[in-house]
Amino acid sequence: MTSHEHSLVVDRPLRTVYDQWTQFESYPEFMSNVEHVHQVDPALTHWRVNVGGVKREYDASILDQQPDRLIAWASVDGPRQAGIVTFVPEDDARTRVTLRLDFDPQGFTEHVGDALGVVSSSVETSLETFKSFI
């Protein structure tokens, strides 16, 4: 399992940032590797992703969700991955967002991509695109 963490400050208030991040079905708009997310119920989402040409589908369970503080999840099937995103107000109009993704590469292609920084770059790019998106 490898971990990739990036953080940035978004020029929006905490509540606005948190509320947008919890709109899981909008993730394909700012996460280039995410093709589709469907919220099955309040604690379960279904994902279709394409990372470096490797397509995967899996369900993820929301393990912890604290309004305006954090969201933590883990896959329940498919590739092993988990993560947490935290939200910390910098001031009334700006919010620090930190995203950590723990990922268990499967097969040669994913191991090479992970070693070359593809996953880490994807996490960082997703945050930058989210900042522009919101």
Side-chain angles (χ1 to χ4, degrees), residues 4-8 97-100 119-121 123-124 127:
H4 308 278
E5 183 173 309
H6 294 280
S7 182
L8 58 67
V97 180
T98 302
L99 174 60
R100 187 185 84 216
V119 176
S120 185
S121 176
V123 169
E124 185 174 23
L127 278 178

Side-chain angles (χ1 to χ4, degrees), residues 1 3 48 61 71 73 82 111 122 130:
M1 188 80 86
S3 293
R48 187 172 64 236
S61 178
I71 304 167
W73 69 93
H111 279 282
S122 176
F130 176 75

Side-chain angles (χ1 to χ4, degrees), residues 3-4 9 21 36-37 49 52 57 61 75 77 91 104 106 114 126:
S3 293
H4 308 278
V9 175
W21 197 276
H36 180 78
V37 178
V49 300
E57 284 198 47
S61 178
S75 59
D77 62 2
D91 56 39
D104 189 11
Q106 302 294 305
D114 191 44
S126 292

Side-chain angles (χ1 to χ4, degrees), residues 58-122:
Y58 60 92
D59 291 330
S61 178
I62 298 169
L63 304 175
D64 191 6
Q65 187 167 356
Q66 299 174 23
D68 298 337
R69 292 200 55 228
L70 66 86
I71 304 167
W73 69 93
S75 59
V76 294
D77 62 2
R80 282 188 349 139
Q81 67 120 311
I84 185 168
V85 60
T86 59
F87 309 89
V88 176
E90 292 280 307
D91 56 39
D92 288 344
R94 299 175 338 128
T95 305
R96 176 166 299 281
V97 180
T98 302
L99 174 60
R100 187 185 84 216
L101 178 66
D102 301 324
F103 174 70
D104 189 11
Q106 302 294 305
F108 179 76
T109 302
E110 289 182 8
H111 279 282
V112 169
D114 191 44
L116 292 174
V118 171
V119 176
S120 185
S121 176
S122 176

